[in-house]
């Protein structure tokens, strides 16, 4: 029943970092759409305890990790606009056209719904473990975190000296 | 003694939403000035738990509610500038000239006072009840809130599906 | 046949200054809609040769001039966003809801049309004479310009020392 | 002699629209690097005569056109920062790390050179014909332009009603 | 052994207000460099409880206080950019070239270190007492604070009516 | 008659680059005020044909050149705000208080005059020769320009490889 697939879906995440929870969600979505637009949200933010990686580093993580997905994907860093009322127009202007939005964020769901898009929730996969917060906590504590992310992402994090950066930021996080 | 009236006064509020407390204050001010500039502050903010309504929705609320006021009013949405030192110049550039500022916000009072404006405090009317915070709390809890706002405002909120929006935002409020 | 009226229309102008050409257009539109949203575009721009008046001075001009219009009007200064793709969302977020846009500006017409709004052209009334460009030229040349604007606007311009400002700017216009 | 390849190269274009001149340049670069970052510059600009297409429409054009390139490509829309002195840091923060920049723009070359990057010029392929300016001119004049762009791009332009948009903008281009 | 001095050092502080702790740090740094660039961070922020003074008032404080330092100093107000990844480029573009950065802020240290600058920690001098937080607390409480700042700074604060401003802001601090 | 001196004056220039015309003006002003605030305008602009030098490079030029002036000077880079109506408040917030503004720019004169400042024109010294435009023209043409700037400025320009930068920008100037 290929025909019931939506043509193009949108998924927005911060990916700080990309982890296996994201991966399972995207793998599921890839069965429901023909093409997928993956937006890297808050792309301008980095070097904060909750947002250690740059937009470019996250592009690299996501692109590396999704290579095995069987559909065409667009990976697009999106900077914040700080105005909810223009958020949808902002995303739309920087992405290929899409018909359906996948999200568990009530705000995103509300905004895209008010703008007339079809919105669908995504499943969670052991959210306590597969989460950016837990991974960053483990990095700071010196615990094992590598098993929570795809191998390709692990490589990117090591190449940008990511663990040391998170540990540095943990000593004093302000955003200046 | 008409002559002792100030020519034009300024009042700034966020109006999330406009309620009877605002209305009593404006009714009082209308006795003291010939014309009134009503600024809708943080006009660019919406779809947040503390700021659910857009600037345009709030223009509609205020204009609907003040129709009965006996003086000429200017209702002007003002976007934030995030810099206190230029706030007064920003407001001045977007409004008809005024001589007196009505406010209970110590920051606003200080800024307009430093800039040489006459500043006057406003009375409060049962602030615990007539407040945006209380109205939004009641909306979320499913309690009666309609008696805290003018009928015209109630109509605007229903037309923009406001209660459902506040309830959605209450589930998870970030600002993205 | 009142019923065939649109509920609410939008008109955007820079009003540098408001003149009789605007007035004839708005008078015509007032026959076609029940309420009218008048946006003062480029509201943040002032003290330029082509844009001498502040947003607030223009609010005063427009409000003074439209008092005789028989319908309810909303006069709203709108700052530029410098991004055509979010222009419509920006305007929508700061205005009461509208169904029809009046404009002769091909860009505005295209943008609102792509966003799904009904768009209608406005008539021109002796555009060579009733234009901001011509009025500013006359101010600089010391010729009579007062007969091109409503009396109420003439008064606003005199009160803000507008002619002298335009003449000053004419000596050297940069935008700094 | 694979080993003499640079690991990752950067190419920046506005792609208004993507044409065969771009394609020949990218095909050449693809022989010199292992991976290629393609930045879509001025991504926030659209609906202007010189910049008719949105960032998202251009993502679609580029991704469609480069599918046949034999190397891994990253297609990243980049918004302007309006400050040359931080341009390189801005690009770097939104892209995977690169070692070499391909450009014929003297400003870009100077900025990346001052920042310590290796910079290489690209060849031109009949620049008078294969240029965005010429393509947009033909669209306005109703002449044939389709032979100047890859088929995949032609399809994208038709799907977003691009020719009609360019013609509309040609009547009056301001940027509002 | 003058020759082992670095040519030019950078120190960034918010100086809300400049106090004797800053002074002891700068006095120490002045022994290690030939020239010193002193950046006044968050220069655009003022009239907040944690940031009561304007950039200009802080320029005056710092310039007054460092007159006795035996080396050439540059005092430069720097506005925030809200993007860590371009912070270093922003600072570099607005300051004379420097080789070494003095800081105890882990984020600043990390950012300048990633950008290839030499970074050195500064000593603390009774941080509990010589701190902006403590000084502002004393101003609010009506306690003696003058002994924590250089005399020249005390004079600047009195001239700008600083204590009364801090007390006003303490009643209700939002940032609007 | 020291007493007739103004306490503090303001002078704003772009200083692209600082030249002997500026120097003669500042030398003259230094006789009329006790302290002088020198603002480096458009501080965020660089690497453009008309604005080749960064704010920091210009700080270095000005500070080097004015060392011989007999009064206390504050050299402050000021970024543009792109809104004339808040320009004065912006400058005021980033500078020590001043009473008089020196300028030959009609816009600046008008803006500070409307804000209530005393404004005075400056003399010109062979404006055709002592001008940034002429200096940049000579740099591009390979003619002698060094005799138009103070020696200290000449040194700064050579240290930042300024002539080569201007020549590069002359080949193609856009602002990206």
């Amino acid at each position: 029943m290929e025909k019931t697939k939506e043509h193009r879906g949108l998924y927005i995440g911060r990916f700080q970092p990309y982890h296996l929870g994201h991966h399972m969600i995207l793998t599921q979505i890839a069965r429901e759409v023909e093409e997928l637009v993956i937006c890297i949200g808050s792309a301008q933010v980095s070097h904060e305890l909750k947002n250690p990686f740059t937009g470019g580093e996250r592009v690299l993580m996501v692109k590396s990790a999704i290579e095995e997905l069987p559909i065409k994907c667009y990976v697009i860093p999106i900077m914040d606009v700080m105005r909810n009322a223009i958020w949808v127009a902002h995303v739309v202007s920087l992405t290929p056209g899409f018909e359906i939005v996948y999200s568990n964020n009530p705000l995103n769901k509300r905004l895209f719904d008010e703008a007339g898009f079809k919105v669908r929730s995504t499943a969670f996969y052991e959210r306590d473990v597969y989460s950016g917060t837990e991974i960053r906590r483990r990095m700071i504590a010196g615990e094992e975190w590598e098993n929570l992310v795809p191998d390709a992402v692990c490589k990117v994090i090591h190449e940008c000296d990511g663990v040391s950066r998170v540990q540095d930021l943990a000593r004093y996080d302000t955003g200046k």
Side-chain angles (χ1 to χ4, degrees), chain A residues 22-109:
Chain A
H22 296 123
H23 203 64
M24 287 181 276
I25 290 170
L26 295 185
T27 303
Q28 174 57 38
I29 295 175
R31 293 192 194 104
E32 304 175 15
V33 296
E34 290 174 10
E35 295 188 1
L36 178 55
V37 181
I38 303 171
C39 287
I40 297 177
S42 298
Q44 86 285 2
V45 181
S46 71
H47 296 82
E48 297 179 357
L49 191 44
K50 291 190 169 182
N51 297 285
F53 303 106
T54 70
E57 289 162 352
R58 289 177 277 155
V59 167
L60 206 48
M61 291 179 198
V62 176
K63 284 279 286 187
S64 304
I66 64 170
E67 263 181 358
E68 64 193 60
L69 289 189
I71 63 170
K72 187 173 187 174
C73 293
Y74 304 80
V75 178
I76 299 183
I78 303 268
M79 297 168 75
D80 292 325
V81 281
M82 306 297 178
R83 262 181 78 186
N84 290 328
I86 62 172
W87 172 243
V88 170
H90 174 64
V91 172
V92 165
S93 79
L94 293 170
T95 52
F98 50 89
E99 294 89 46
I100 181 164
V101 177
Y102 289 87
S103 181
N104 277 316
N105 175 318
L107 175 59
N108 259 320
K109 289 166 79 169

Side-chain angles (χ1 to χ4, degrees), chain A residues 6 8-12 29 32 88 98-122:
Chain A
E6 304 286 337
R8 209 179 276 135
L10 179 86
Y11 181 84
I12 304 179
I29 295 175
E32 304 175 15
V88 170
F98 50 89
E99 294 89 46
I100 181 164
V101 177
Y102 289 87
S103 181
N104 277 316
N105 175 318
L107 175 59
N108 259 320
K109 289 166 79 169
R110 177 89 201 178
L111 293 172
F112 280 98
D113 179 71
E114 285 193 8
F117 284 87
K118 196 184 297 187
V119 176
R120 202 173 293 170
S121 296
T122 59

Side-chain angles (χ1 to χ4, degrees), chain A residues 131-144:
Chain A
S131 86
T133 305
E134 171 64 10
I135 291 169
R136 298 189 305 267
R137 188 198 65 71
R138 292 190 183 187
M139 287 176 169
I140 295 166
E143 299 175 12
E144 185 179 4

